[in-house]
Amino acid sequence: MSYVYLLSIFFYLNSSLSFKNINKLAIPALIAGIAEPLLSITDTAIIGNIDEIATESLAAVGIVGAFISMLVWVFGQIRSAISSIISQYLGANKLEEVNSLPVQAIVIVIFGSLLILLISYPFSKEIFQFYNASGMVLDLCSTYFKIRIFGFPFSFFVFAIFGIFRGLQNTFYPMIIAIFGAVLNVLLDFILVYGIEDFIPAMNIEGAAYASLISQIIMAILALYFLYTKTSILLKVTFPMHEQIPNLLGMIGNLFIRTIALNTALYLATSYATSYGNEYIAAYTIGLNIWLLGAFMIDGYSSAGNILAGKYFGAKDYKSLVKLSKKLTKYGIITGFIMAFIGFVFYDFIGQIFTKDEIVLMRFYEVFWIVLLTQPISAITFIFDGIFKGMGKMKYLRNVLIFATLLAFIPSLLLFDFYNLKLVAIWIAFTCWILARGIPLIFKFNKTFISLVNS
């Protein structure tokens, strides 16, 4: 019997909702969760400080980053789907019955990612023309993307394995993998972007892309190693397909539709920012990466909600489920306010990390305060999002995000853009979008489970 299996049973029998025990899951998940945005934010900071065409390169990284985020979120949803099923089986004390599912799920996501690679690679310029990129920025987008796209299968493989570990109530090994990958990416960024005199030529934006690709490959190798050595998960494809595969595909399908709605908002924001000019898309890129970093930091508590909600829901322990939601909401709000406070204290310094272009910085500072004020709001929304994913309520999550995009984000963007507020319009729209996502989740959860506890 494997170490992780024993650890999972330990969590099942002995876990409590104390601050200490929640953070045993949340803090490693937080560190693991920032790996992907850290790859992008490192590229953004380093590319923004190269000697030549820094603004155009930064704009290209931002545009490609928006498209890559879309693909990552679409296929990365399998992590939540796998985690939900495994954690519910754990809660019902039937973990051995789901042993063949993970590898079958991994194969599905790898084939999907390879299909995306084959379709998108030949049409890179056409894709980014759709984002309003042109001229030198379009050429840089194509160059950067044609390298980074090869990292997709490795990233999705890692996400699937992270989902397995989360379902087993273990966030430690994903943390180790993420730390190693993030540190490696930073080192490779400095080496490949700026070069080493008389040894490695400066590769600029291509160097950033290669740094990300290499890091993703190494993370995939580490993930496979830990899955093989630390779990009892069956590492070969067996037939027939597991009975939960249709349920898994249904969850992924709902999350896929949900992610299309999510990325409709991101596409519109990126497209509008690009249409305003290179300085605007560069400033938007900085703001978006900081916002995403904050979101993924909150993801630690969201992941704890995902992991524990699945277990309690599977065990029909609704009292603990409600208690979990209250504690995570409190922790999330505190974390969000801390991040906002740090941002305001170092307001000017943070912008200068990413660029020295005075016009880009001016545009960034015009909206950075909105990015910071959304942090506590985003925290609550993401925590309840994680809880609903853990319970497998993907259909409701899908409907809420469609509603938020169509009835909150798009109308507010059109309205404030009409008044020529530009980047301010975009970030007001994001704020309305986050509120429209979070409020229905809180209402639905309280209506459903508090009544069950009180009955």
Side-chain angles (χ1 to χ4, degrees), residues 17-19 22 322-332:
L17 290 176
S18 68
F19 180 74
I22 287 175
V322 170
K323 187 177 179 182
L324 172 71
S325 72
K326 292 178 179 179
K327 283 184 174 288
L328 289 180
T329 297
K330 180 175 70 174
Y331 301 154

Side-chain angles (χ1 to χ4, degrees), residues 372-439:
L372 296 176
L373 289 179
T374 62
Q375 294 302 313
I377 302 171
S378 298
I380 300 172
T381 296
F382 295 148
I383 282 169
F384 276 90
D385 192 85
I387 289 172
F388 272 77
K389 284 179 181 177
M391 296 187 297
K393 304 295 184 181
M394 311 307 186
K395 184 177 180 180
Y396 188 73
L397 287 172
R398 177 200 71 189
N399 293 341
V400 166
L401 195 53
I402 292 173
F403 159 81
T405 301
L406 295 180
L407 300 183
F409 182 86
I410 293 176
S412 55
L413 176 62
L414 294 176
L415 174 64
F416 292 105
D417 178 71
F418 176 79
Y419 287 104
N420 202 35
L421 294 181
K422 296 186 176 179
L423 291 186
V424 173
I426 291 173
W427 285 105
I428 291 176
F430 271 131
T431 305
C432 295
W433 186 59
I434 289 294
L435 285 169
R437 289 175 57 185
I439 292 172

Side-chain angles (χ1 to χ4, degrees), residues 220-277:
I221 294 171
L222 278 176
L224 179 62
Y225 169 77
F226 284 125
L227 185 68
Y228 177 73
T229 60
K230 303 300 181 181
T231 79
S232 58
I233 295 296
L234 191 64
L235 291 182
K236 67 177 181 178
V237 180
T238 58
F239 295 97
M241 300 298 277
H242 193 276
E243 63 180 12
Q244 283 291 336
I245 286 292
N247 183 30
L248 177 70
L249 293 176
M251 288 185 186
I252 294 171
N254 283 319
L255 290 171
F256 179 84
I257 296 170
R258 174 181 183 269
T259 306
I260 290 174
L262 185 152
N263 283 286
T264 297
L266 285 176
Y267 161 72
L268 288 171
T270 304
S271 180
Y272 271 68
T274 304
S275 70
Y276 300 146

Side-chain angles (χ1 to χ4, degrees), residues 47 66-67 85 112 216 228 285 331 383 402:
I47 288 298
F67 183 67
I85 292 172
Q216 288 163 328
Y228 177 73
T285 298
Y331 301 154
I383 282 169
I402 292 173

Side-chain angles (χ1 to χ4, degrees), residues 32 162 172 200 424 439:
F162 280 12
F172 177 75
I200 297 175
V424 173
I439 292 172

